[in-house]
């Protein structure tokens, strides 16, 4: 990998993780690791262009159908692809189909850019994740195999102890906090060959006293009512949180940092 390379463009492909949930800005929009990464890359390359095609809730089949073609046509220097995790969280998941669809995506994207970036997604500690962990690890094995075959870079967020810490996850327990997204941006930045700005992004964060029993139970009840039950309802009815939503940044345009 070239040290401190200069890239002129970035296209991000994926679901809510790449859209930036839950790195919420004051105006109600989401920032996220891809925007943070684009800002760093733009600072090194005048005229840098950025597109983010991600939409929350998308399955890998939808990503292939809706995002991969447009991303490949943009001819960007760097494309990031993160998908398939939503599939593993469904009650029924055909991992053979997931492999086939990811293969289609990588085979289409890898030749269309200078560097394709894949990821082993972060995993929060807790019983919910433990239930789906075998599927997730099967997904990551597929990603590793495809990266080896097609020269893609794999960013291992799953192995980062910091990103397993519940304190870096939002109250919905599905999306990273702003600090979590900052660490992901740093991980991708380093994987692309840039000098580290935070060499310890993956290190465990300092311990703090755990919340009391009443606080934990109150948090659990609020989580179940506001997030878990609606999420289960969408799974049972085949709906998605991203239904009807457009891509975050559909066109490959010069990057402008509009965050407050």
């Amino acid at each position: 990998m070239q040290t401190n390379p200069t890239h002129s463009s970035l296209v991000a492909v994926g679901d809510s993780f790449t859209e930036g949930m839950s790195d919420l800005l004051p105006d109600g929009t989401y920032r996220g690791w891809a925007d943070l990464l684009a800002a760093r890359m733009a600072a090194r390359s005048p005229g840098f262009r950025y597109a983010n095609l991600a939409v929350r809730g998308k399955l890998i089949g939808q990503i292939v159908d809706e995002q991969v073609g447009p991303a490949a046509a943009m001819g960007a220097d760097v494309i990031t692809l993160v998908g398939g995790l939503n599939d593993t969280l469904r009650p029924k998941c055909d991992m053979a189909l997931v492999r086939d669809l990811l293969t289609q995506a990588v085979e289409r994207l890898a030749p269309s850019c200078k560097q394709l970036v894949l990821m082993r997604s972060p995993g929060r500690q807790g019983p919910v994740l433990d239930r789906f962990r075998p599927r997730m690890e099967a997904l990551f094995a597929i990603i590793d195999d495809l990266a080896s075959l097609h020269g893609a870079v794999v960013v291992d967020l799953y192995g980062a102890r910091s990103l397993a810490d519940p304190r870096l996850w939002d109250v919905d327990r599905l999306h990273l906090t702003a600090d979590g997204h900052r660490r992901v941006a740093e991980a991708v930045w380093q994987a692309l060959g840039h000098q580290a700005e935070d060499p310890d992004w993956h290190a465990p964060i300092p311990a703090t006293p755990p919340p009391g029993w009443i606080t934990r139970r109150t948090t659990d009840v609020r989580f179940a009512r506001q997030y878990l039950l609606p999420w289960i309802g969408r799974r049972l009815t085949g709906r998605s949180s991203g239904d009807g939503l457009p891509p975050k940044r559909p066109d490959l345009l010069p990057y402008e940092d509009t965050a407050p």
Side-chain angles (χ1 to χ4, degrees):
M1 180 64 64
Q2 178 185 357
T3 302
N4 290 326
T6 299
H7 296 112
S8 65
S9 51
L10 167 68
V11 175
V13 173
D15 51 33
S16 61
F17 175 67
T18 301
E19 184 184 346
M21 297 173 73
S22 291
D23 185 6
L24 188 64
L25 295 171
D27 65 358
T29 62
Y30 293 106
R31 181 174 51 187
W33 65 265
D35 285 12
L36 294 169
L37 177 65
R40 289 195 191 186
M41 297 172 76
R44 287 181 173 268
S45 180
F48 180 84
R49 296 175 300 153
Y50 170 51
N52 189 327
L53 307 183
V55 177
R56 68 195 72 172
K58 293 299 182 181
L59 302 174
I60 186 59
Q62 295 170 309
I63 291 172
V64 169
D65 290 343
E66 300 167 12
Q67 300 179 33
V68 167
M74 290 178 180
D77 283 356
V78 177
I79 297 178
T80 64
L81 167 64
V82 187
L85 193 62
N86 283 332
D87 296 77
T88 69
L89 300 178
R90 294 283 172 132
K92 295 181 180 180
C93 175
D94 184 342
M95 290 304 298
L97 178 59
V98 170
R99 172 186 285 276
D100 289 345
L101 290 167
L102 273 171
T103 300
Q104 291 179 36
V106 171
E107 288 179 345
R108 184 81 182 275
L109 293 174
S112 73
C113 64
K114 293 181 179 178
Q115 184 60 67
L116 178 63
V117 177
L118 307 177
M119 296 188 199
R120 295 161 59 94
S121 301
R124 182 185 187 276
Q125 295 174 347
V128 175
L129 175 65
D130 288 343
R131 176 182 175 186
F132 298 101
R133 193 177 300 275
R135 287 184 187 172
M136 291 177 60
E137 294 180 350
L139 173 66
F140 300 152
I142 294 169
I143 289 168
D144 290 344
D145 289 345
L146 289 171
S148 178
L149 286 171
H150 297 278
V153 170
V154 177
V155 183
D156 185 15
L157 305 175
Y158 184 67
R161 294 178 62 188
S162 62
L163 295 178
D165 193 312
R167 291 172 293 175
L168 288 185
W169 293 74
D170 193 47
V171 293
D172 66 1
R173 305 182 185 181
L174 288 173
H175 302 105
L176 292 171
T177 63
D179 187 33
H181 279 281
R182 179 193 64 79
R183 291 170 187 257
V184 173
E186 176 69 28
V188 182
W189 176 256
Q190 292 183 29
L192 287 171
H194 294 286
Q195 184 175 356
E197 296 185 10
D198 178 10
D200 299 322
W201 68 267
H202 50 77
I205 60 179
T208 56
W213 185 89
I214 293 177
T215 299
R216 295 198 306 272
R217 297 293 78 78
T218 301
T219 301
D220 288 344
V221 170
R222 183 180 65 172
F223 160 72
R225 183 176 63 250
Q226 295 184 359
Y227 300 102
L228 181 59
L229 293 178
W231 181 83
I232 292 173
R234 290 195 299 271
R235 298 293 80 76
L236 294 176
T237 58
R239 292 179 292 113
S240 167
S241 57
D243 287 347
L245 294 180
K248 179 177 183 178
R249 187 184 173 100
D251 300 312
L252 187 61
L253 297 173
Y255 175 82
E256 294 182 4
D257 188 356
T258 58

